């Protein structure tokens, strides 16, 4: 088939999308507005390149920012190109670099089993270094040091260069010393942090041009998604790879650049055509996601930013509802409004998963979570306690990490006395000091514990631990055990379940969690087949983010920060806390560049909504123990008036938060609907929001049959008095068991 004949397969796309798909040679910037089908363009562009026979599947590198996005991209490519689609490199920056370093890392002093340190591992290591340097963490927090180290690595700055730059700045000099020890300790542990993975790959390319040339020859076509979120080292990595063929296609939206705090630099996308000579720019402005009103609101806000390439989203979708700006008296009332609106929507036929509540900072979620729980709304907080952050899971993973790499001092220190083996903290510290002094790992030292006087008393216990680990290492290397069987050996030989049963609260739940990890390992083996080795599994979980676990099919309302919501979409979106000082933050109001980024964040939030958008604000808000009275967010004022319906008045409940009982739940002392209707604000007050009826006179007993507007018919299984309210556990015929507060339940006895 000729190229023109092949192009007929893509006529279902709009003209600009087709242009992006058919432009295969040379540098290309696809400015893809929110909801404009950029993933569809990426997938079809790859399919077109392969159908035209321009290269083999393994000659294509497609880089994304999350494992979830990479997995979806790979799946869609395989559906579009069944033959060979699986051979395309579709992965995150870190996964791509890890794959290269597993193969060639020995050239720069790492084994193929190197460990990847996450944030918690980094903090622990830095805290140990601060003790070593006799620096008070209150004066120089670990978080600050890690931030400075990350910035230095983005610039490829070595510790010695940072120290030289510090001159007479003692604070910066201390950070430079900590940086130097940190890198030494990482190298000794055969470990890297996330920044190292990129830095070391670039270093490998610079030191060994033949390796760079190998990958330049392999990747004839390179595509980078979310290019506006790249930092300097990521830019350098892809530009080095693209140097030979020059076929680099980047997809992004300068109006959605919101990760400056992570080192992302908007300049990469703003200066693309200057960096890659002869570059072509194609704008995707047709939105397939949102209504006209939502898009016009987003355009109205972002138009106030400078430093942008400029584009205007448009859609053939319906005009849709106006944006509802709702004012409450407090954060508790704001939360109640959100919960009740969700219940009203579900009553009319929506699913709980149609709703998302977004906020600027995690601290805002507390009141909304309480309102959701009281109302029996199933919900999930993205950015909450991740499965792999649980204590028992971290212990199990630490064992696997040490089996994979016994020189990982951080993980070894975690489990050397878990379960208890009478190896005290002092003994571990002695071993760490010796290891640091001779430039070896703790494991190397404790294998020869009898050689060191400080460790002689604990030598037999240390020897038993070493024998345990050596035995598990032998089992892993023998090839006689699958990954899931190896995991079972760890549980069995450490007696970890007995330890949980005898020494930990909620032991049944914890045991269920370590059994769930077994399920994850089995699923990993099913997905990866012969490639499912220990290193690969540990790498996958170390690179996971919380958003990777987001299940779009679960029927529950989602709560998350605006930053976490990027790339997602929902029929109904609430953006809570639309007040100056909250969003935008107070610090950004005084800094134009930061305010531009906050406005881009507002643009991202608005464009998550497909059908209905609520912006909520309060007259007063308690946050971090202080009550503030903020003006409406300037971003609301930037939305054209004709697109907005204003509701609420800030006086729906009387003393809504002042009379909460000892349980922290709301008091039932609120004004009645009749009293509220006397207010001149009553029409706005109840626009789209029906106040939950207070049923203080209704007494519920175990065995009562009730009818709930949303959940249907059910039976009261448990009724527990809590302050002026009653907590009910109700088994509903269709919705399952729910826990509700009586005063908010909107039920009747039948």
């Amino acid at each position: 088939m000729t190229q023109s004949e092949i192009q007929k397969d893509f006529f279902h796309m709009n003209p600009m999308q087709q242009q992006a798909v058919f432009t295969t040679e040379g540098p290309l910037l696809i400015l893809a507005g929110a909801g404009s089908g950029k993933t569809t363009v990426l997938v079809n562009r790859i399919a077109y390149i392969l159908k035209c026979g321009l290269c083999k599947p393994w000659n294509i590198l497609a880089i994304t920012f999350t494992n979830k996005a990479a997995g979806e991209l790979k799946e869609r490519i395989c559906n579009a190109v069944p033959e060979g689609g699986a051979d395309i490199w579709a992965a995150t920056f870190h996964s791509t670099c890890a794959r290269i370093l597993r193969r060639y890392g020995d050239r720069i002093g790492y084994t193929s089993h190197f460990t990847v340190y996450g944030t918690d591992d980094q903090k622990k290591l830095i805290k140990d270094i601060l003790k070593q340097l006799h620096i008070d963490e209150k004066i120089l927090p670990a978080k600050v040091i890690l931030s400075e180290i990350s910035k230095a690595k983005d610039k490829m700055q070595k510790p010695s260069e940072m120290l030289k730059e510090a001159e007479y700045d003692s604070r910066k000099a201390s950070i430079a010393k900590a940086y130097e020890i940190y890198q030494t300790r990482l190298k000794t542990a055969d470990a890297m942090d996330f920044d190292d993975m990129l830095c070391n790959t670039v270093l490998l390319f610079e030191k060994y041009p033949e390796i760079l040339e190998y990958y330049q020859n392999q990747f004839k076509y390179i595509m980078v998604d979310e290019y506006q979120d790249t930092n300097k080292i990521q830019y350098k990595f892809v530009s080095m790879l693209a140097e030979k063929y020059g076929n680099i296609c980047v997809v992004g939206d300068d109006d959605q650049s919101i990760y400056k705090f992570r080192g992302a630099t908007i300049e990469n996308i703003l200066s693309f055509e200057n960096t890659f000579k002869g570059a072509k720019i194609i704008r995707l402005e047709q939105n397939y996601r949102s209504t006209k009103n939502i898009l016009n609101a987003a355009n109205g806000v972002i138009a106030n930013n400078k430093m942008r390439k400029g584009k205007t989203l448009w859609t053939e979708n319906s005009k849709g509802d106006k944006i509802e700006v709702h004012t409450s008296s407090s954060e508790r009332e704001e939360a109640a409004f959100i919960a009740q609106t969700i219940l009203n929507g579900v009553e009319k036929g929506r699913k709980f998963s149609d709703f998302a509540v977004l906020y600027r900072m995690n601290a805002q979620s507390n009141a909304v979570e309480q309102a959701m729980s009281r109302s029996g709304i199933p919900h999930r907080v993205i950015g909450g306690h991740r499965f792999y952050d649980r204590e028992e899971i971290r212990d199990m993973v630490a064992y696997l990490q040490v089996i994979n790499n016994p020189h990982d001092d951080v993980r070894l220190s975690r489990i050397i006395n878990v379960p208890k083996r009478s190896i005290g903290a002092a003994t571990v510290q002695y071993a760490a000091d010796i290891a640091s002094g001779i430039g070896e790992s703790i494991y190397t030292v404790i294998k020869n514990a009898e050689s060191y006087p400080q460790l002689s008393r604990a030598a037999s216990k240390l020897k038993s631990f070493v024998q345990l680990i050596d035995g598990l290492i032998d089992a892993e290397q023998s090839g006689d055990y699958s990954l899931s069987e190896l995991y079972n050996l760890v549980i069995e030989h450490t007696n970890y379940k007995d330890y949980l049963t005898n020494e930990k609260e909620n032991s049944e739940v914890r045991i269920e969690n370590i059994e769930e990890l077994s399920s994850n390992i089995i699923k990993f083996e099913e997905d990866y087949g012969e490639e499912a080795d220990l290193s690969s599994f540990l790498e996958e979980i170390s690179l996971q983010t919380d958003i990777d676990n987001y299940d779009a099919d679960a029927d529950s309302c989602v709560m998350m920060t605006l930053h976490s919501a990027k790339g997602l979409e929902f029929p109904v979106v609430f953006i809570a806390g639309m007040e100056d000082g909250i969003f935008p933050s107070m610090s950004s109001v005084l800094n134009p560049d930061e305010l531009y980024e906050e406005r881009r964040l507002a643009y991202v939030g608005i464009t998550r909504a497909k059908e209905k958008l609520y912006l909520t604000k309060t007259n007063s808000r308690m946050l971090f123990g202080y009550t503030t009275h903020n003006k409406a967010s300037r971003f609301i004022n930037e939305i054209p008036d004709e697109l907005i319906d204003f509701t609420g008045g800030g006086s729906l409940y009387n003393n809504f938060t002042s009379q909460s009982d000892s349980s922290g739940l709301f008091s039932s002392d609120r004004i009645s609907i009749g009293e509220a209707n006397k207010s001149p604000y009553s029409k706005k007050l109840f626009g789209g929001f029906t106040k939950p009826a207070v049923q203080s006179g209704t007494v519920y007993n175990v065995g009562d049959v009730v009818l709930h507007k949303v959940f249907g018919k059910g039976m009261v299984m448990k009724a527990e008095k809590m302050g002026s309210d009653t907590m009910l556990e109700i088994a509903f015929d269709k919705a399952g068991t729910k826990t509700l507060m009586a005063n908010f339940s909107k039920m009747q006895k039948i």
Side-chain angles (χ1 to χ4, degrees), residues 192-416:
M192 303 182 199
D193 61 23
F194 289 118
D195 292 316
D196 284 329
M197 296 175 79
L198 280 148
C199 290
N200 285 333
T201 306
V202 169
L203 176 66
L204 178 71
F205 287 167
E206 289 176 339
K207 290 186 72 173
Y208 297 93
E210 67 277 14
I211 296 175
L212 171 61
E213 186 179 11
Y214 171 83
Y215 285 106
Q216 285 176 334
N217 287 330
Q218 177 171 342
F219 299 130
K220 188 174 181 181
Y221 293 94
I222 297 171
M223 279 162 255
V224 185
D225 195 11
E226 305 288 6
Y227 191 66
Q228 76 282 346
D229 295 332
T230 55
N231 59 25
K232 292 176 183 175
I233 194 72
Q234 288 164 338
Y235 154 74
K236 187 165 187 177
F237 170 70
V238 294
S239 60
M240 289 175 84
L241 286 176
E243 197 170 344
K244 179 169 184 177
Y245 289 107
N247 296 328
I248 180 167
C249 166
V250 303
V251 184
D253 182 1
D254 52 317
D255 290 334
Q256 294 188 70
S257 179
I258 59 172
Y259 294 119
K260 186 179 180 181
F261 67 96
R262 291 184 190 167
T265 172
I266 194 172
E267 285 76 18
N268 284 351
I269 194 167
L270 292 178
S271 62
F272 182 82
E273 62 268 43
N274 296 326
T275 307
F276 297 94
K277 301 301 181 186
K280 186 171 184 178
I281 300 177
I282 296 173
R283 286 173 168 80
L284 303 182
E285 297 174 302
Q286 182 174 359
N287 176 285
Y288 294 93
R289 175 190 299 158
S290 305
T291 64
K292 286 184 172 70
N293 281 339
I294 291 171
L295 280 192
N296 289 336
N299 288 332
V301 171
I302 201 64
N304 291 276
N305 261 11
K306 297 178 181 177
M307 286 179 61
R308 56 188 294 257
K309 286 187 171 290
K311 63 184 177 310
T312 301
L313 294 183
W314 61 276
T315 184
E316 293 178 347
N317 294 341
S318 65
K319 189 174 182 180
D321 293 340
K322 290 186 177 183
I323 286 78
E324 184 168 336
V325 176
H326 185 86
T327 302
S328 302
S329 66
S330 68
E331 74 281 356
R332 293 284 181 101
E333 184 185 330
E334 176 185 54
F337 166 74
I338 291 170
Q340 190 59 50
T341 304
I342 292 171
L343 286 176
N344 290 346
V346 172
E347 189 179 335
K348 293 173 183 175
R350 284 198 182 276
K351 297 184 295 183
F352 287 109
S353 56
D354 287 346
F355 299 89
V357 183
L358 312 181
Y359 33 80
R360 180 63 182 84
M361 51 188 133
N362 279 310
Q364 292 173 251
S365 70
N366 185 36
V368 182
E369 279 189 83
Q370 288 187 25
M372 296 267 199
S373 298
R374 263 195 320 280
S375 303
I377 297 173
H379 59 282
R380 176 172 180 195
V381 182
I382 303 294
H385 204 47
R386 289 176 63 231
F387 177 74
Y388 286 100
D389 287 339
R390 291 175 169 88
E391 180 186 11
E392 60 276 10
I393 299 303
R394 286 171 62 80
D395 287 345
M396 285 290 97
V397 170
Y399 270 107
L400 295 175
Q401 292 278 15
V402 170
I403 293 167
N404 184 61
N405 173 16
H407 304 297
D408 185 340
D409 287 353
V410 171
R411 271 59 174 265
L412 184 136
S413 298
R414 180 183 182 89
I415 48 94
I416 194 170

Side-chain angles (χ1 to χ4, degrees), residues 515-647:
E515 289 171 347
E516 181 63 19
L517 178 57
S518 179
S519 301
N520 290 3
I521 292 172
I522 291 169
K523 187 176 184 302
F524 175 81
E525 288 179 310
E526 291 171 352
D527 290 344
Y528 285 81
E530 293 180 1
E531 296 179 9
D533 59 18
L534 181 57
S535 292
S536 301
F537 174 71
L538 294 171
E539 182 178 303
E540 173 157 297
I541 63 175
S542 71
L543 298 178
Q544 261 189 349
T545 63
D546 197 58
I547 203 70
D548 291 327
N549 299 319
Y550 167 61
D551 182 4
D553 296 325
D555 190 20
S556 61
C557 174
V558 179
M559 299 170 56
M560 67 182 90
T561 63
L562 286 148
H563 282 99
S564 297
K566 189 166 172 295
L568 302 176
E569 59 182 46
F570 305 90
V572 184
V573 169
F574 299 86
I575 304 181
M578 291 294 292
E579 302 143 33
D580 269 7
I582 303 293
F583 186 39
S585 65
M586 189 58 71
S587 60
S588 68
V589 170
L590 305 173
N591 184 319
D593 286 343
E594 289 186 17
L595 184 58
Y596 293 155
E597 178 133 344
E598 290 280 290
R599 189 174 281 112
R600 292 193 291 268
L601 189 57
Y603 175 82
V604 166
I606 292 169
T607 54
R608 297 313 92 195
K610 296 166 72 174
E611 300 167 18
K612 181 70 178 178
L613 174 66
Y614 294 89
L615 305 179
T616 65
K617 61 188 181 71
T618 65
N619 290 332
S620 70
R621 180 181 300 277
M622 178 171 278
L623 200 61
F624 307 121
Y626 296 94
T627 299
T628 57
H629 303 272
N630 302 312
K631 295 189 301 182
S633 169
R634 64 193 62 203
F635 302 147
I636 291 176
N637 299 329
E638 292 169 356
I639 298 173
D641 288 344
E642 64 270 16
L643 303 178
I644 297 178
D645 272 339
F646 291 95
T647 64

Side-chain angles (χ1 to χ4, degrees), residues 431-442:
D433 291 342
I434 294 167
S436 179
I438 63 175
E440 294 286 355
S441 68
I442 293 176

